[in-house]
Amino acid sequence: MMNSRYFHPESLMMSHGYKPALSEGAIKCPIFQTSTFVFNSAEEGKAFFEVAYGQREKQPNEELGLIYSRLNNPDLQILEERLCLWDEADECAVFESGMSAISTVMLEFLRPGDVILYSKPVYGGTDHFVNKVLPQYGIKGIGFTSLQSESDILEMIDAYGAKDKVKLVYVETPANPTNALFDLELCRKVADKLATEEKEVVVCVDNTYMGPLWQHPLKHGADLVVYSATKYIGGHSDLIAGAVLGKQKYMQRVRTLRTFLGNMAGPWTGWLLMRSLETLKVRMQQQAENAVKVADFLADHPKVEKVYYLGHLKEGTEQYQIFKKQLSCAGAMVSFDVKGGEQEAFKFLNSLKLIKLAVSLGSTESLAEHPATMTHSDVSIEDKQAMGISAKLVRLSIGVEHHADIIWDIEQALERC
Ligand SMILES: *Cc1c(COP(=O)(O)O)cnc(C)c1O
């Protein structure tokens, strides 16, 4: 009733979920650097535990208190409520890294004998977990690319005899580092075709590249969304964190496994992320505006062979149609092929003066890296070839600096190639 007006998420990032009166009137949520919380009575402690361990549902007017920082902590709970606003998710759980968010989802929804259907390419750490760790637990990964149609994918699964075994469809879109787009509606259809009365097929999307701002996978059929909050959500290259969001029935399972793996983020990380969320939209908008100018500059440069940027997709192509359907912005990740090979790419990277040579992305400062030998060095040679991750490919994450300075730096570094 108080919120008779619908406020946009960016208007609520400073206040949502926090009651100053509970913290001496402090305008900002303090850092609750505490392991445990004092109960007012034994009865209260009992009641909190009954709900936390799922022995009963919360009563409609029941105010639940805090128990222990592995289960809940104000810096995490308020952060999770704020993150839910961008994706309009029922629930969110924050993790100590993007990889812990991703691995927890995979461990919760897969069992020995099951198959995970995943989009290729995926983040290097995810690829390693799917292809090197999960097989040790009897779980098999089958990859699909953005060039495969619904029937191609279903036929491929049939050929593997895996029709009854797929339990999780895991999609990263736009794909890193080439910005290839996957159609989430198509992924949902594939999952529904593979579901039976005995088994559900859950669709999970890694939305790290688009932050929570420019793509909302839950609206396109996904059940869960995961983030490396290290990237745009954190946005300052000063923390590691992850998040999972989605429908309540799935989030309850994710949260319970988090409680017992103990891989929640700590209060200090939670506090830093709340601070980051206040500027999420202004940061990302500035980064995207800079990226347009950088991509246009690269496209016209004689030493550049090809630019991979969503704002340059050709109208009428399938990729363009997916872009129009799923994304509200071309983002701030720009990759390009320099003319030549590894030598030229390395010369470019070694000549940069403002842009930092580092992996990671989404931060306030611009970053450059060489996917073939860095983030994607673990990907098989055939996969690298098939997905265009060659020795001449350079990946840029565009920051909030003045666009003219970013372009000046790229121009002087290209001159040395
Ligand atoms: C960085 C990244 C991850 C892993 O996140 P960490 O926070 O480094 O554990 C997962 N997915 C994508 C797309 C990423 O860029």
Side-chain angles (χ1 to χ4, degrees), residues 103-300:
S103 54
T104 301
V105 166
M106 291 183 182
L107 292 174
E108 177 55 36
F109 294 98
L110 296 164
R111 293 292 178 274
D114 289 348
V115 165
I116 172 173
L117 180 67
Y118 72 100
S119 63
K120 286 202 293 194
V122 280
Y123 176 73
T126 308
D127 192 278
H128 184 94
F129 194 76
V130 168
N131 290 305
K132 309 254 162 74
V133 179
L134 288 179
Q136 298 178 50
Y137 298 87
I139 297 159
K140 183 183 166 67
I142 298 179
F144 66 102
T145 71
S146 60
L147 301 174
Q148 286 176 279
S149 69
E150 184 184 330
S151 56
D152 290 344
I153 298 169
L154 289 168
E155 276 165 30
M156 176 182 71
I157 292 166
D158 238 0
Y160 277 108
K163 218 174 142 199
D164 302 325
K165 296 178 186 159
V166 176
K167 293 276 176 63
L168 183 62
V169 177
Y170 184 91
V171 194
E172 192 178 308
T173 182
N176 176 8
T178 57
N179 280 332
L181 297 178
F182 286 83
D183 184 343
L184 294 178
E185 222 174 280
L186 179 152
C187 297
R188 177 78 261 169
K189 277 192 207 151
V190 168
D192 289 345
K193 289 233 165 105
L194 295 168
T196 61
E197 269 179 28
E198 291 85 50
K199 71 151 178 142
E200 274 189 301
V201 181
V202 175
V203 177
C204 178
V205 177
D206 184 335
N207 198 33
T208 300
Y209 248 49
M210 289 290 116
L213 206 58
W214 298 319
Q215 177 173 257
H216 297 113
L218 297 174
K219 291 191 183 140
H220 300 279
D223 300 305
L224 292 169
V225 184
V226 293
Y227 290 103
S228 168
T230 312
K231 313 296 166 54
Y232 286 103
I233 294 173
H236 293 73
S237 297
D238 56 7
L239 60 84
I240 300 276
V244 185
L245 294 98
K247 297 178 186 164
Q248 196 204 0
K249 71 170 178 173
Y250 300 119
M251 285 310 300
Q252 235 160 12
R253 292 176 57 180
V254 170
R255 181 180 296 281
T256 301
L257 188 58
R258 185 187 72 169
T259 293
F260 296 102
L261 292 176
N263 54 358
M264 70 296 152
W268 172 226
T269 299
W271 187 89
L272 280 170
L273 284 169
M274 278 196 273
R275 187 173 170 144
S276 289
L277 278 184
E278 297 189 9
T279 56
L280 178 86
K281 190 170 177 187
V282 286
R283 278 187 284 115
M284 290 182 74
Q285 272 182 336
Q286 186 62 53
Q287 286 168 288
E289 277 176 36
N290 286 349
V292 178
K293 298 195 170 79
V294 170
D296 288 349
F297 171 81
L298 286 168
D300 285 339

